[in-house]
Amino acid sequence: MTTEINTQDWQQAFIATNILAIGYNAWVGYLGGERGVVICSTNSPHLSIAGETFKVHFIPRQNLAAFLNAWLTAPDTVLLQRHFMNAHILEAVDKYNPQKDIVFLLEYGNQAGFFYLTNLPITPPQCYQTVCKQWAEFQPPHTLLTGAKTQ
């Protein structure tokens, strides 16, 4: 029981720390045409000056059943909450509100955790706007992009 609580604490902390990126990816994926699920793997982090980054993918609903069948039935992947099967994940994707909620799968080691994120402190569209605004703030001025000399 203690190990399960520690695992849940780690997962919740990961989600809280990365909610902007998770929400951004959820909204970009939804804007691409349909509902889906954000999947993040912590198995191969990339280390840089900015810290650790992780692989994140948005799987649209039309590709999700095949993806889940291949990914979650692989012999080395264990779905953390066993009572959630593919049908439950697909149903969650069919019913979630993309304006407010996120369906999220977190892979770490040989396990995967399923999360239906609701009542978020920041919505997916707000995550998208925040990330885009912050990204724009760190872009070089237009004159530097064109190679023009500045005085």
Side-chain angles (χ1 to χ4, degrees):
M1 179 86 169
T2 304
T3 303
E4 185 177 322
I5 291 171
N6 290 339
T7 298
Q8 290 173 351
D9 289 345
W10 173 86
Q11 293 169 344
Q12 295 301 321
F14 181 88
I15 291 168
T17 300
N18 295 288
I19 193 65
L20 278 178
I22 295 167
Y24 171 86
N25 282 286
W27 192 245
V28 167
Y30 177 70
L31 290 177
E34 66 179 292
R35 297 165 183 261
V37 62
V38 175
I39 297 174
C40 179
S41 175
T42 62
N43 289 347
S44 301
H46 176 72
L47 300 174
S48 68
I49 291 174
E52 282 183 313
T53 56
F54 304 97
K55 293 179 183 178
V56 177
H57 303 280
F58 181 86
I59 306 297
R61 173 60 173 92
Q62 69 179 356
N63 301 337
L64 189 55
F67 174 83
L68 290 172
N69 285 333
W71 185 52
L72 296 178
T73 59
D76 61 344
T77 302
V78 176
L79 189 59
L80 189 61
Q81 295 111 346
R82 296 184 196 281
H83 61 282
F84 285 111
M85 301 310 248
N86 291 4
H88 290 25
I89 295 170
L90 295 171
E91 181 180 352
V93 170
D94 289 339
K95 293 183 176 182
Y96 84 105
N97 180 348
Q99 295 275 340
K100 297 179 181 180
D101 308 324
I102 301 169
V103 178
F104 181 62
L105 287 171
L106 178 61
E107 176 188 42
Y108 60 98
N110 65 347
Q111 297 181 337
F114 168 73
F115 301 89
Y116 190 136
L117 305 175
T118 61
N119 301 316
L120 298 168
I122 183 169
T123 66
Q126 290 170 328
C127 291
Y128 175 82
Q129 291 170 352
T130 301
V131 169
C132 288
K133 180 181 176 188
Q134 289 175 350
W135 180 255
E137 289 175 1
F138 290 100
Q139 296 304 304
H142 179 67
T143 56
L144 295 178
L145 288 175
T146 61
K149 293 182 180 178
T150 59
Q151 297 278 8

